[in-house]
Structure formats: C-alpha cells, structure tokens
Amino acid sequence: MELLTLAIAGLTAIVVAAVLARRTGIATPLVLLVVGIVFSLLPGTPDFALEPDWILVGALPPLLYATAVQVPVIDLRRSFGMITWLSVTLVVVSALAVGLVVHLLVPSVSFAAGVALGAVVSPTDAVAATAIGKRLGLPHRLMTVLEGESLLNDASALVVLRTSLLAVTAGFSLGDALLDFVRAVVVALVIGYAVGHGTVWLRVRLADPVLMTAVSFIVPFLAFLPAEEAEASGVVAVVVAGLVTGHHGSRRFTARERLTERTNWLTLQFLVENGVFLLMGLQLEGLLRDLDDSNATPGQVVVLSAVVLALLLVLRVGFVGVQVLSERRQQPRLDAMRERLDEISDRVDTLADQGARRAGQFRRRVARGRADVAYQESEPVTARGGAVLSWAGMRGVVTLAAALTITTDVEERTLLVTVAFFVAVVSLLLYGGTLPLVIRRLGVSGTDPESRRDEVADLFSGITTSAVTALGPLDEVVVDGRAIDPTVAEEMVGWLERVRESRADASPESLSLASQRALLHREFIARMRDALHEEQAIGAYSTEALRQASALIDAQELRLER
C-alpha cells in the first residue's frame, strides 16, 4: 500500500509539474528535479535508494528507443560527422581529462578511478535541452545534433566506464580497450539491425494496433539484453533497432497503427522520462548522509564539482568550435560536390539505353546528393548555433545511475558518486535554467511559419503530381486486380487537383475561406457530439453502434486538427 501511495504521489507530481512548466516556460524535468530535492530534505521523507539497474536496464532502453523511432535516418546521416565527434571523441577526451585533473587534485583517487568519474559525467542528456529547443523553435539541424548526440554518447561513456573499472583492478591496455570498443559496437549493430527488422516483420503480420504496440514495448529489451549478454553495447543495439523500426514503420505500418503506437509511447516516455528526474532529486539526502560517513568533506565536493563542470564546458566549447570552423570552410567542398553531381547527371542520360531501372537508380542518387548539398548550405551550424550547442551540455539521471555502478573496491567511491550527482544537478539547473535566455539573446531560430507553409505546399504539389502520374491513363487504372471506372478515376484526380491548388494558393482571401470552413467544421463536430451524448443518455441504440459513431466523429476531429 505504501508503494502504491508513493507511485500515485509521483504521478500526481509529474502531471502538476508539467502543467506548471507550460505556464512558466521552465522545462518539466527541471521542475521535477527541484521538487525532488526539496522533498528529500524535508523531515520524515522516506529514503529512496536508486538502484542503477532501474535506470540502465529498466528506463534507459525504452527512452532511447522512443527517441530513435522518431529521428529520421536521413537527418542522422547528414549530421553523422558532428554527432560522432561529440558523442564519441568528446566523451573519450572528457573522460581522460577529468580523470587526470581529479587524480592531480585528489591523489588518493587513482587515474583509472578518475577516468571512471569522467566517463559518467561526460554524456549529455538532451531531454531538458530538446524540450526547451522545441518550445523556442531551434533550427532543425541543432535539434538533430542534440538528439543524435544523446542517443549515442551513453554507449561510448558506458564502454569507457567499464574499461576504467577493469583497469582499477586488472590494469589498463590501450589496444585491448580499443578492440573491446570496436567489438562492442559491431556486435550491437548486428543485434539491433536484426531485432529491428525481425520485429517490423512480425508486427506487420499482426495487423492489430493494440498487439503491435504491445510488441513495440518489448523491442528495446529484445535488443538491449542480448547485446549486454554478448558484452556488447546494449545502448547502440537499442538505438539501431529504433532507427530501423522508425524508417520502415513509416512505410509498412498503417496510419491508425502508427497513431496508436505514437500516443502510447509518448505517454510512456513522458512518465518514465520525468519520473527518473524526480527520483534523481530524491537522492540528495541519502548522498549527503553517505558523505558524512566518509572521509570526504563538503568543501572537497564543491571544489571538485566546480572544476569538473568548468573543464567539461571548456572541452565542449572547444569541440563544438572545431565543428563550427569546419562548417565555415566546407563551401568549396560543397561546390565541388555539386559540380561532380552535375557531371554524373549528364552521364545518366547515356545509361537510359542500357536500362531504365539502372538510370532511375542513378537519378535517385544524384537527387539525394543534391538534397544533401542543399541541406548543408541551408542548415549550417553558425557561431550562434555553436554557442547554443555548447551551453546545452546538461547531464542527467544516467550520470548518477552510472556513478552508482562504481564498485566499493574503488577508493573514494562516495566522493566520486557525490561529485557526479552535483555535476548533473548543477548542469541541469544552470544550463537548463539559462538556455532559453541564451537562445533568445543570440536570436537563434528555425524556419519561419510562412516559409514552412510554402515548403509544405510545394511538397504536397509534388507528391500529388507523382501520384497522378503513377496511376497512368485514367481509362486503364487497375487496383488489386480490379478495373476502376474512368469516371471515378477522373473524379479522384479532380479532387487531388483542387486540394493541390488550395494548398498552393496563399492569398489572404483563400486563407480566410479556409478558416471559415474549419470553424464551421468544428462547430458541426461539436453539435454531432452533443447529439451523440443525448442518444447515449436515451439508450435507444446499441452500445456498439454508439461506439462506432463516436469513433467516426473522433476521426473527423482528428482530420480537422491535422
């Protein structure tokens, strides 16, 4: 009963914090973190012992999967260089640098133990950053880098942590460490790819949104657990499985199945994501009590935390700065790539005689290359964007969970765990609390709504034209082996043409008429729902008929909202 009461209290706190966050503009994780810290310091508050497996095995896989499913593969590919630079190279360098500095400041902490601390404080947590970025309209490229970095840096950090802990007792070998890292990533890639494809194949054949969503809840653990048993990176396996599922699911799952799964996953992600931040804040009192029982002093913790925070910020600014300079110097390379693509495009026409399929493949590759060049030119990471990326280096609950995996054999373990906690908390409150101000002062923003509407209109026009062309002659249309009456085909094409023209026309008069139609449609839906409620109260119709009528009204409302 006590556990149930605490769970209900936690859910209530999460909902209240979310409402408060929307009204104040403060990210929900930050609100819950502060709430957890305040409650942990109140007299009579029960102890909340955070088990590392709750986060690393129970919460981390579904959170990573939920994010990976929504990230387009093409966006990760276009920013893969910057993402790996920050999620792998920066993590390794930060771990080594923190280890060296901590060892010099506290000689009782070995270099390997210091690297372990560096490994747990190196990965960033993009939850609060992306929540703020979406609300303030950060450019899409910056959001992709933040999300991609947080997806992959946990894997490199945990591998470095495992290696450093082994070095504490068994010594360190650079060659063995590199080999272990490569093997862990390769095995994880294979497992994640196999799980992603296998579960997509299974879910398509289930053809039931409820069953499909139930299976999707298992996918993160199907990828994570076998990878960990094989001593590979479970994090990488989960991310790959999520990317594969998201890439193929958009084409192979129905709209209803995708909508049902997305709603359920957003709910689960919201509860787990914010719950772990609340739980993180509740750890403060227990960590302070453990610190009193150790040889470490509060002053030592404060000094080490400040030094580690400053070092991490300097390293992040430097690494992001390298990428910003690289972006500035890439125009000649992009120009050369465009010229090369033009040459290939000219040669493709000569392949048409050898086979339309092969020529079509080359044209698709050329089009993709040109789109990549245009993307790099339209979405550069400027100095202002680099400043936002640098200031978005917040640490999260994974830092604390990973720190708790440091064994008691390590000297000054309590000091290391407490420093990791304070680094995570201060970075969340400092960077997360001031990131909105930084974004506004620098004036970093994404595409304006009018340009986005024009882009959507162009895209919609293009796909409707392609759809009409793919149908072929209207008097010869065949669908599923059944001939379609030419009159029906002409009516459908005429409807598509009218929709395309209405999307392309952005005049104030057309927008006004569209708004009137939307208002009238919404009013019709409200009146229909009132009438349905009246019929439910009377009870003249069966429950099934009422349910189906309600579903039809819901579908109309959903289409209107879209």
Side-chain angles (χ1 to χ4, degrees):
M1 181 62 70
E2 181 180 357
L3 182 60
L4 179 61
T5 303
L6 293 175
I8 294 174
L11 290 175
T12 304
I14 291 173
V15 173
V16 172
V19 174
L20 180 63
R22 291 176 182 177
R23 294 186 176 182
T24 61
I26 303 174
T28 305
L30 302 183
V31 176
L32 288 167
L33 179 65
V34 173
V35 170
I37 291 174
V38 171
F39 268 93
S40 71
L41 297 176
L42 293 178
T45 302
D47 294 336
F48 291 88
L50 179 63
E51 293 292 335
D53 286 347
W54 292 359
I55 305 300
L56 300 180
V57 180
L60 186 59
L63 290 179
L64 290 173
Y65 177 82
T67 303
V69 168
Q70 301 300 324
V71 176
V73 175
I74 189 172
D75 289 345
L76 287 181
R77 178 178 61 80
R78 286 171 169 172
S79 300
F80 190 71
M82 180 177 294
I83 290 172
T84 53
W85 175 253
L86 297 177
S87 62
V88 179
T89 309
L90 177 58
V91 166
V92 174
V93 172
S94 298
L96 295 175
V98 169
L100 178 61
V101 170
V102 170
H103 175 62
L104 293 177
L105 292 177
V106 186
S108 59
V109 176
S110 65
F111 173 68
V115 172
L117 172 63
V120 300
V121 299
S122 295
T124 56
D125 189 322
V127 173
T130 53
I132 295 170
K134 290 176 181 177
R135 178 168 53 82
L136 297 179
L138 275 183
H140 179 72
R141 178 93 183 275
L142 295 185
M143 296 295 294
T144 299
V145 172
L146 286 172
E147 291 180 337
E149 180 190 4
S150 66
L151 282 175
L152 298 177
N153 59 15
D154 289 333
S156 52
L158 292 176
V159 171
V160 174
L161 175 61
R162 182 173 59 190
T163 303
S164 60
L165 292 179
L166 288 174
V168 172
T169 56
F172 176 76
S173 171
L174 179 60
D176 292 342
L178 291 175
L179 183 63
D180 181 61
F181 183 81
V182 172
R183 191 194 67 82
V185 171
V186 171
V187 173
L189 288 173
V190 174
I191 293 176
Y193 188 81
V195 169
H197 274 281
T199 53
V200 168
W201 177 88
L202 173 63
R203 291 165 64 188
V204 168
R205 282 151 182 79
L206 290 175
D208 185 326
V210 176
L211 293 178
M212 290 181 64
T213 305
V215 172
S216 73
F217 289 151
I218 308 173
V219 175
F221 303 101
L222 286 178
F224 185 86
L225 295 176
E228 289 294 317
E229 286 296 322
E231 296 185 352
S233 174
V235 171
V236 172
V238 172
V239 170
V240 172
L243 292 175
V244 170
T245 302
H247 180 68
H248 292 286
S250 61
R251 197 164 40 88
R252 302 184 65 180
F253 300 159
T254 66
R256 182 188 175 198
E257 291 164 349
R258 291 196 303 271
L259 178 61
T260 302
E261 181 182 15
R262 176 174 173 78
T263 302
N264 291 334
W265 267 105
L266 284 175
T267 304
L268 179 65
Q269 185 180 15
F270 169 77
L271 295 176
V272 175
E273 206 169 62
N274 291 293
V276 294
F277 278 95
L278 177 63
L279 191 59
M280 181 179 177
L282 293 170
Q283 304 301 304
L284 178 60
E285 195 276 334
L287 288 173
L288 293 177
R289 186 174 60 250
D290 293 340
L291 187 64
D292 290 337
D293 298 335
S294 67
N295 297 325
T297 63
Q300 197 176 31
V301 171
V302 171
V303 171
L304 274 181
S305 300
V307 170
V308 171
L309 273 170
L311 180 59
L312 291 174
L313 178 60
V314 170
L315 288 172
R316 186 169 181 84
V317 170
F319 272 69
V320 172
V322 170
Q323 287 295 314
V324 171
L325 293 176
S326 176
E327 292 273 322
R328 288 183 175 181
R329 298 173 181 174
Q330 73 170 350
Q331 191 58 49
R333 180 178 62 83
L334 295 178
D335 293 338
M337 186 180 298
R338 184 181 290 107
E339 293 178 2
R340 176 62 177 165
L341 290 171
D342 291 339
E343 294 176 1
I344 296 175
S345 179
D346 294 337
R347 295 177 183 176
V348 167
D349 295 334
T350 63
L351 297 175
D353 297 334
Q354 302 177 19
R357 180 178 179 182
R358 186 179 179 187
Q361 291 175 346
F362 274 103
R363 289 193 182 97
R364 192 177 300 110
R365 292 177 183 177
V366 170
R368 185 174 63 181
R370 286 174 172 168
D372 290 343
V373 172
Y375 177 82
Q376 296 292 340
E377 290 179 336
S378 63
E379 294 265 3
V381 179
T382 62
R384 293 183 178 184
V388 172
L389 283 178
S390 301
W391 201 250
M394 289 164 273
R395 275 63 188 173
V397 72
V398 173
T399 291
L400 179 59
L404 292 175
T405 64
I406 298 176
T407 61
T408 56
D409 298 335
V410 178
E411 294 289 338
E412 305 288 354
R413 176 186 182 274
T414 302
L415 174 63
L416 299 180
V417 173
T418 308
V419 169
F421 175 83
F422 276 93
V423 167
V425 170
V426 174
S427 67
L428 280 168
L429 297 179
L430 175 62
Y431 300 148
T434 57
L435 185 60
L437 178 62
V438 172
I439 294 174
R440 293 192 185 97
R441 287 292 180 87
L442 294 177
V444 181
S445 60
T447 306
D448 63 277
E450 185 175 351
S451 299
R452 184 64 68 196
R453 282 195 298 269
D454 293 340
E455 184 182 13
V456 172
D458 291 341
L459 172 61
F460 194 83
S461 177
I463 61 179
T464 52
T465 301
S466 298
V468 173
T469 303
L471 282 175
L474 298 184
D475 56 350
E476 301 177 4
V477 177
V478 177
V479 179
D480 292 336
R482 299 180 180 180
I484 303 298
D485 191 298
T487 304
V488 176
E490 290 176 359
E491 289 177 356
M492 178 59 67
V493 171
W495 173 77
L496 282 173
E497 294 288 345
R498 290 192 298 272
V499 172
R500 180 176 62 185
E501 291 172 1
S502 66
R503 291 286 183 181
D505 187 359
S507 64
E509 292 80 8
S510 66
L511 291 176
S512 176
L513 290 175
S515 299
Q516 292 180 40
R517 293 190 188 98
L519 288 172
L520 184 58
H521 195 171
R522 187 174 288 106
E523 184 65 18
F524 268 122
I525 291 175
R527 299 300 182 185
M528 291 167 63
R529 198 176 296 282
D530 290 342
L532 178 63
H533 289 166
E534 184 67 20
E535 293 294 345
Q536 288 175 331
I538 296 173
Y541 292 92
S542 68
T543 302
E544 181 62 20
L546 293 170
R547 187 192 65 79
Q548 292 190 18
S550 178
L552 289 173
I553 296 175
D554 290 342
Q556 289 293 321
E557 184 175 357
L558 178 61
R559 188 168 68 176
L560 176 62
E561 291 300 325
R562 288 183 174 179

